[in-house]
Amino acid sequence: MSVAAGGADLDGAAVEERIARLEHDWGDLDDPGNPLGAQQFMAADAERRLLPAAERLLDDFRLNAEFVPRELGGRLLRLDALARVMRSVFRRDASLGLGYGMSSYMAAAVVWAGGSAGQRRDTAELLLSGGRMACAYPEPGRGNDFLQNGFTTAPHGDGFLLDGRKEALNNASRAASLLLFTRPRGDAGGGPSAFLIGAPEPGTPGYRPLPRRSTVGLRGCLVNGLEFTGYPLTADQLLGPRHGGAELAARAFPVIRCVGPSMALGCADTALRTAVAFARSHRSRSRASLHTPRTRAALIDAFTDLLLCDALALVATRALHLVPREGPTLSAVVKYLLPTVLNEMVYDLSIVLGSESYASRGPYAGFQKAAHDLPMIGLGPVGSTASRAAIVTHVGRLPRLRAPGDEEVPAALFQPFGPELPGLRHDELTRPADVDSLLGTLESTLWQASAADGGELEKSLAGYATALDAELARFRRACADLANRGDDPGVRGYALAERYALIVAGAACLGARRHHSGSPDDFLAGPAWAVMVLSRILRRLDPGTPEPPRLGEELLLAELLHRFDDARSYDLYATLIGR
């Protein structure tokens, strides 16, 4: 049985209705006669453009309303719902998801985090009227270093003069509004600033658009550069206080780090679906057949990894609403771990497809497109390096954090179809956490799992829970030792950051099962997926971890094929697609 949305709140029901309408309007991706089918998306990608029919569909759907808070006339209430809607787009074409939607949201998120009432209102009106935005984020060379930013500003009269260039900026040539982070010119003191400006027309004095850049993945995105020379800015174009760009970015980055990779699960879903279609098309004696252990293992592992990634993304997006001080660390874990897991997943699936993994046309061409697109979705100024640095900082603080009780950690943190969430409190995202909810409750969750009595899968889950508990104990001792040394964490800090990310992912998955609020017969209520996920996590932590039981593999494979036949997504939601 696949998961069902039992007990969803009214807003959750509205989200389900919008997703169902969007999926219905897309139609069957595999239908060659569908003007919004895979062949049409592949043809547009080969021509390095977005599919016009798809853009018209999103115009009619008013996709931009998903990026605008409800109080400003849009539909945005919760980040996990936004990610789900956007997965429907990324599942068809990552270039469309990024070029039509995510690029605008990355800019708008900064405005929601610290813009004035007028800037928020004007941005909402622009998006709701179908306009697009582009954002020139700072490019940290290490950690959150803003010195690599491409633009500078200097005071000039009542305003400023803007200079500098960015070589590659998505949507720059189509945006009506630009959000630019700048640093003070020359030796002037102070930190970076942010400006929200109308996009200049070509030929405007002091502005020069740079040629389009060609990319290996996301080929449909319009990636151009911008160059400014003595371009005048007015004081009211300043976003937030002068030199307040670092604080503004600290409010917005956790949201972007978290939501972007969660959206990208739609692209990984297509890669897995294509591999399943390929395997099912081969006869039993073929090496690519589902009868082959290697093929079955690759598909099961990929499905398990998608469930792992979605459980982590779910907890991180909901944490930004429920436990906002912990949100920045969890979003950094998402940005660090998901690209690694998903890119490894696609590589393993490419072995199943063999030479077809390079196909640029035909029924399996979508796999190569997904393989090229996924790594590029993870690029940017809030990428893995900066995220790992944020995790290292948190790991250094762990021994000083108090342990929360179970009653302090809301069950809604782990529930895919959970109740309505409070609004974002951006100021809380910049305040250090005094607890680590996931690690704090993991011990009791592990105790429950290890004490469970039942059949083969429950016993395997208990064994894996005990092993993860031992990993957690070793991790805590290593963190205490690192804190006592008091020197630069160096390589040890990076190794602990990776272990922390994996342990937190395990906590997210176990929490999602423990607090499952749907039917007891749902797939997520059973132990099979938790057994398989913990097995994957523990094998990353310790390659000597025993293999999962055969029954767990069989149940995951059965669910995998059921969702393929029933056209359902491979994430926690098992959404009906293309109906």
Side-chain angles (χ1 to χ4, degrees):
M1 292 289 293
S2 294
V3 100
D9 59 285
L10 291 177
D11 178 60
V15 172
E16 294 294 326
E17 290 174 3
R18 293 204 302 274
I19 292 172
R21 175 160 63 91
L22 186 56
E23 289 291 344
H24 175 270
D25 292 346
W26 285 124
D28 186 354
L29 190 63
D30 298 323
D31 180 1
N34 181 4
L36 295 165
Q39 291 186 15
Q40 285 69 32
F41 279 113
M42 291 302 302
D45 186 70
E47 297 171 0
R48 298 186 177 275
R49 64 187 178 94
L50 300 181
L51 184 62
E55 292 193 276
R56 289 194 295 272
L57 183 150
L58 296 180
D59 287 341
D60 293 341
F61 181 75
R62 297 182 67 242
L63 183 72
N64 279 2
E66 302 291 337
F67 311 142
V68 178
R70 178 73 61 84
E71 65 269 20
L72 292 171
R75 304 171 185 154
L76 179 59
L77 281 177
R78 41 200 281 187
L79 296 174
D80 57 336
L82 168 62
R84 281 198 65 201
V85 173
M86 288 302 297
R87 281 180 200 175
S88 178
V89 184
F90 275 89
R91 194 177 291 118
R92 271 73 187 182
D93 181 12
S95 294
L96 186 68
L98 188 65
Y100 189 106
M102 183 58 185
S103 291
S104 291
Y105 180 68
M106 288 175 66
V110 183
V111 182
W112 310 148
S116 67
Q119 288 168 330
R120 287 164 56 87
R121 183 184 62 251
D122 292 346
T123 298
E125 290 176 358
L126 183 148
L127 291 174
L128 293 173
S129 65
R132 301 191 188 186
M133 303 180 70
C135 184
Y137 274 109
E139 297 177 355
R142 183 171 179 259
N144 283 324
D145 181 8
F146 279 88
L147 297 180
Q148 300 301 315
N149 195 352
F151 295 119
T152 64
T153 46
H156 180 73
D158 294 332
F160 305 88
L161 291 180
L162 171 67
D163 289 276
R165 63 190 284 157
K166 282 278 189 179
E167 295 292 342
L169 190 64
N170 191 27
N171 262 6
S173 61
R174 303 181 72 181
S177 178
L178 301 175
L179 185 115
L180 310 177
F181 282 84
T182 75
R183 56 187 170 86
R185 186 177 309 163
D187 297 328
S193 301
F195 291 85
L196 182 65
I197 70 173
E201 293 290 335
T204 301
Y207 167 70
R208 184 167 73 96
L210 302 179
R212 182 180 180 183
R213 305 296 291 261
S214 183
T215 57
V216 175
L218 301 173
R219 297 192 300 177
C221 288
L222 289 172
V223 180
N224 299 80
L226 302 175
E227 183 177 62
F228 292 96
T229 306
Y231 186 82
L233 300 176
T234 60
D236 61 0
Q237 291 175 312
L238 190 65
L239 188 69
R242 188 181 175 197
H243 305 309
E247 173 78 9
L248 195 57
R251 292 177 168 215
F253 277 8
V255 175
I256 297 162
R257 276 177 173 154
C258 198
V259 175
S262 184
M263 294 176 182
L265 289 181
C267 184
D269 186 291
T270 295
L272 175 55
R273 191 168 306 278
T274 306
V276 175
F278 180 82
R280 295 199 79 174
S281 70
H282 284 69
R283 293 186 231 173
S284 59
R285 293 183 181 180
S286 167
R287 287 182 296 176
S289 165
L290 280 168
H291 295 274
T292 305
R294 185 186 70 171
T295 296
R296 286 200 305 273
L299 297 178
I300 292 168
D301 286 348
F303 184 23
T304 303
D305 283 343
L306 274 176
L307 294 171
L308 182 162
C309 289
D310 196 18
L312 178 58
L314 169 79
V315 169
T317 50
R318 295 177 74 83
L320 291 166
H321 294 271
L322 293 166
V323 284
R325 293 192 192 183
E326 300 180 61
T329 297
L330 289 173
S331 65
V333 170
V334 167
K335 187 65 174 180
Y336 172 68
L337 191 60
L338 260 64
T340 299
V341 172
L342 295 178
N343 287 323
E344 289 179 4
M345 180 200 92
V346 170
Y347 174 78
D348 291 342
L349 289 176
S350 70
I351 299 174
V352 174
L353 279 85
S355 61
E356 284 291 333
S357 66
Y358 301 103
S360 59
R361 60 187 58 170
Y364 310 116
F367 184 88
Q368 185 206 46
K369 182 175 177 345
H372 285 162
D373 289 346
L374 261 176
M376 293 199 65
I377 298 172
L379 295 177
V382 286
S384 295
T385 301
S387 297
R388 183 172 64 175
I391 301 170
V392 170
T393 299
H394 179 75
V395 165
R397 297 182 62 248
L398 272 176
R400 302 193 299 274
L401 302 184
R402 68 179 179 85
D406 264 15
E407 69 282 354
E408 292 183 68
V409 182
L413 191 65
F414 304 96
Q415 294 171 337
F417 300 102
E420 184 176 344
L421 299 174
L424 285 177
R425 291 164 285 165
H426 288 97
D427 57 322
E428 288 285 296
L429 298 179
T430 61
R431 301 177 65 184
D434 59 352
V435 299
D436 189 306
S437 294
L438 263 68
L439 290 193
T441 60
L442 180 56
E443 291 174 350
S444 62
T445 302
L446 289 172
W447 180 85
Q448 286 189 1
S450 61
D453 191 16
E456 179 184 6
L457 288 177
E458 284 79 5
K459 291 177 181 177
S460 292
L461 182 60
Y464 284 143
T466 301
L468 187 59
D469 191 31
E471 290 289 346
L472 176 60
R474 281 194 289 272
F475 170 76
R476 286 192 182 278
R477 289 194 296 270
C479 288
D481 180 60
L482 188 67
N484 291 334
R485 291 166 63 96
D487 53 4
D488 190 317
V491 175
R492 293 185 66 201
Y494 291 144
L496 286 175
E498 182 169 356
R499 299 184 79 78
Y500 175 82
L502 290 167
I503 291 171
V504 162
C509 294
L510 284 172
R513 180 172 184 258
R514 175 183 176 183
H515 297 287
H516 177 64
S517 59
S519 166
D521 296 327
D522 286 347
F523 172 70
L524 294 183
W529 78 280
V531 167
M532 299 300 293
V533 166
L534 283 192
S535 168
R536 293 287 284 169
I537 290 172
L538 286 165
R539 275 184 281 167
R540 286 177 178 268
L541 291 167
D542 178 5
T545 298
E547 295 288 327
R550 182 71 176 270
L551 178 59
E553 295 176 346
E554 291 174 352
L555 290 174
L556 261 288
L557 181 62
E559 179 72 10
L560 174 87
L561 298 178
H562 165 69
R563 293 195 187 190
F564 180 84
D565 291 335
D566 202 31
R568 290 182 177 271
S569 64
Y570 286 124
D571 54 15
L572 296 177
Y573 300 91
T575 304
L576 278 168
I577 60 177
R579 293 292 184 88

